[in-house]
Amino acid sequence: MGDSHYDWPDYYDIVSSGLEHDVEFYVNLAEEVEGKVLELGCGTGRVTIPIARSEKEIVGLDSNPFMLDKGKRKGKMARIGDHMQFVEGDMREFRFRETFSLIIIPYRSFLHLLTVQEQLDTLCNIYRHLSPGGLIALNVFVPHIKNLYEEDDKSSTRGIYDIPGSEDRLAVWDYTRFDHFMQIAEIIRQYERLSVKGEVIQRIISPLHIRYVYPFELHHLLKLSGFKVLQKYGDFHKTPFGPESTELIIVARKE
């Protein structure tokens, strides 16, 4: 395995459990549409597998083979076969011969697109792969200026976690630095696997870069790509989006 943030899927699953009610939100949305679903940035199938359990046909696409391999193993353990498929690919340039009724980008995966051109390429690619009137749904964190400056150039403890099937524990730290001009966050994550005695058995340092987007910026990107925004929520309980919201969930339709 390499040193990418996503090359360690077992540790990723321990630390990245998602956001409150996000799985239920995307499952419910998938159940409301007729036709097939595509998930971009599916990772190890945290959202993909529950949607497949609801007997919706879904394709999960991700660029990291380690994440996909674990997703496939989890799918087999859940005894999900015909409803789900995992595919390796890039959300900017994937190609399918079929179209989809719903394309989702959960858990802020849209932020992996580091330039405006990459964002537009992805949204236009999604547009091409949606059926007439098809929906796109995604969520991103809201970059409040005060928080960006308070968290800049700082280390924070993410937590100490139990490791399933082991007496070892996993300690996780993040160092975050912001480029406010380019809207890029550089996150250096450090994993330390600790023995029962507290000794460090393994240490992994993994980099991650994301480009945060502001709410009106995302709205305009969608409009430029041919979408009409239908709903904007501030959380996955469908609270209306407002000034105090820390998350932006958008549902838009192909026009």
Side-chain angles (χ1 to χ4, degrees), residues 7-128:
D7 287 350
W8 304 89
D10 291 339
Y11 291 167
Y12 175 86
D13 275 355
I14 292 170
V15 176
S16 303
S17 57
L19 302 171
E20 182 185 353
H21 206 66
D22 65 342
V23 172
E24 293 85 350
F25 175 88
Y26 285 110
V27 169
N28 291 339
L29 188 59
E31 290 177 336
E32 291 172 6
V33 302
E34 297 287 340
K36 206 166 183 178
V37 180
L38 172 63
E39 180 187 357
L40 303 180
C42 67
T44 66
R46 185 181 64 87
V47 176
T48 326
I49 292 170
I51 289 177
R53 277 204 193 100
S54 70
E55 299 191 352
K56 292 293 296 186
E57 282 194 77
I58 182 166
V59 176
L61 182 139
D62 201 281
S63 62
N64 188 289
F66 300 115
M67 300 286 275
L68 289 171
D69 285 346
K70 182 163 187 187
K72 291 173 184 176
R73 294 197 302 271
K74 288 164 67 175
K76 286 181 180 178
M77 290 177 63
R79 297 184 178 180
I80 296 171
D82 296 340
H83 299 301
M84 183 176 67
Q85 179 185 5
F86 285 109
V87 176
E88 185 175 345
D90 188 321
M91 69 173 74
R92 297 167 296 183
E93 55 188 17
F94 65 88
R95 292 290 182 270
F96 291 105
R97 293 182 179 179
E98 60 187 324
T99 57
F100 300 85
S101 297
L102 170 66
I103 298 179
I104 61 174
I105 317 177
Y107 207 31
R108 306 168 177 170
S109 292
F110 186 79
L111 303 183
H112 291 301
L113 304 166
L114 299 182
T115 67
V116 172
Q117 190 59 57
E118 288 185 353
Q119 293 167 345
L120 288 171
D121 288 346
T122 298
L123 291 173
C124 290
N125 198 19
I126 290 169
Y127 187 93
R128 286 192 294 270

